[in-house]
Amino acid sequence: MRILSPEAGDVDLVERYAYPPDGAWMRANMVASLDGAAQRDERSGGLGNPADQHLFLLLRGLADVVVVGANTVRAEGYGPVKPSGGWDGVRDGRSPVPPLAIVSRTLDLDFDAPIFAEAKARTIVLTTTTSDPARLETARERADVIVAGKDSLDFPAAVKELEARGHRRLLCEGGPGVLAQVVAAGLLDELCLTLSPLLLAGHPTRILDGAPVPVPPELTLAHAMEDENFLFLRYTRSR
Ligand SMILES: NC(=O)c1ccc[n+]([C@@H]2O[C@H](COP(=O)([O-])OP(=O)(O)OC[C@H]3O[C@@H](n4cnc5c(N)ncnc54)[C@H](OP(=O)(O)O)[C@@H]3O)[C@@H](O)[C@H]2O)c1
């Protein structure tokens, strides 16, 4: 065991969180309390601090596409991604913002909402062949639609299609239901985990919510950083 001595001084977050130079890479960014809660009052917002919010936005800026479950979109009231401070130069040669790719079976989404109507990069919907035909038609009018899998999204096929559309730097913002499936499908390359100095108890979900992962990935600690007693951990898949 060894102590990770904090080194004083500013960190270049763009450099620290740079994606590998080539190949597809799926990063997840999540926040949890010290007792493992991924929710506070049914949302994740109450768990973070300004540095976590800054990192959340920066990781969006670094990504080609942001994959997120429909429950998170509904629970957190997601709007379209907007350009953010700290993005200087990070999107050169790319669209001004990454599109959201929303995972949904029911397509119970407000297709008139800003997340579709005001998106600077056309929102993508990842859904299944058995989704409601009328809603699917509306989805196709308001978004780019990727259909993969019959009753349940075929995550590897959907991710492959995202890559085929030029989105190789993927960011998954959860929620726990989607992240559990991404991990179970062997698709996760990196987990960025903010540990929030809170103890909450109750019955919140953890950052993964699903069946046991058949082959748990082995992860390596790439770095640990601290801000206001929050820990910012970056784990990457051991190759
Ligand atoms: N701590 C964190 O970092 C963090 C991050 C994100 C979210 N959260 C919190 O987590 C909660 C939401 O997470 P969640 O786990 O309930 O939901 P989620 O993972 O965001 O979304 C689940 C939804 O995704 C769709 N979906 C999932 N698997 C699918 C499949 N195989 N095929 C087709 N569609 C599929 C379904 O949408 P439809 O119902 O539309 O079919 C399902 O209801 C919220 O409280 C949010 O605040 C926390």
Side-chain angles (χ1 to χ4, degrees):
M1 235 187 255
R2 64 196 176 97
I3 292 173
L4 297 175
S5 301
E7 278 178 35
D10 288 340
V11 185
D12 184 341
L13 292 178
V14 172
E15 192 184 299
R16 279 275 165 192
Y17 287 92
Y19 279 84
D22 41 43
W25 188 264
M26 172 73 81
R27 162 184 286 161
N29 183 32
M30 303 294 283
V31 58
S33 70
L34 290 182
D35 60 327
Q39 292 167 306
R40 188 179 188 186
D41 303 326
E42 306 294 314
R43 298 177 60 159
S44 60
L47 292 168
N49 73 344
D52 176 60
Q53 181 62 14
H54 179 78
L55 183 60
F56 176 88
L57 295 172
L58 175 66
L59 295 188
R60 284 183 160 191
L62 295 172
D64 294 334
V65 64
V66 179
V67 177
V68 62
N71 257 358
T72 296
V73 168
R74 292 185 288 253
E76 306 272 345
Y78 262 43
V81 179
K82 293 187 176 146
S84 174
W87 284 21
D88 293 346
V90 304
R91 298 207 58 82
D92 287 354
R94 297 191 279 174
S95 59
V97 297
L100 289 169
I102 305 172
V103 180
S104 176
R105 184 186 293 109
T106 63
L107 299 181
D108 181 12
L109 298 162
D110 181 357
F111 290 105
D112 294 323
I115 192 170
F116 294 103
E118 293 169 23
K120 282 192 185 342
R122 195 167 161 87
T123 297
I124 300 167
V125 172
L126 307 177
T127 193
T128 56
T129 54
T130 49
S131 57
D132 179 79
R135 285 184 180 172
L136 186 58
E137 199 180 316
T138 310
R140 287 191 195 282
E141 285 164 14
R142 312 288 162 84
D144 287 342
V145 176
I146 293 174
V147 178
K150 192 166 173 259
D151 298 317
S152 175
L153 185 74
D154 180 336
F155 277 86
V159 164
K160 214 167 228 146
E161 182 57 31
L162 286 172
E163 288 167 27
R165 296 178 185 201
H167 304 308
R168 81 167 181 86
R169 288 163 284 202
L170 298 109
L171 172 66
C172 178
E173 291 185 346
V178 160
L179 185 56
Q181 296 174 74
V182 166
V183 175
L187 294 169
L188 192 77
D189 296 299
E190 174 182 335
L191 174 66
C192 296
L193 175 65
T194 300
L195 264 188
S196 174
L198 290 168
L199 294 167
L200 296 172
H203 301 283
T205 179
R206 290 145 54 196
I207 61 165
L208 266 67
D209 184 18
V213 174
V215 185
E218 282 181 26
L219 299 171
T220 300
L221 182 63
H223 70 227
M225 298 191 293
E226 185 270 344
D227 177 89
E228 290 179 342
N229 303 308
F230 284 69
L231 277 182
F232 298 85
L233 306 175
R234 178 172 182 237
Y235 282 91
T236 54
R237 180 196 284 275
S238 317
R239 293 284 175 187

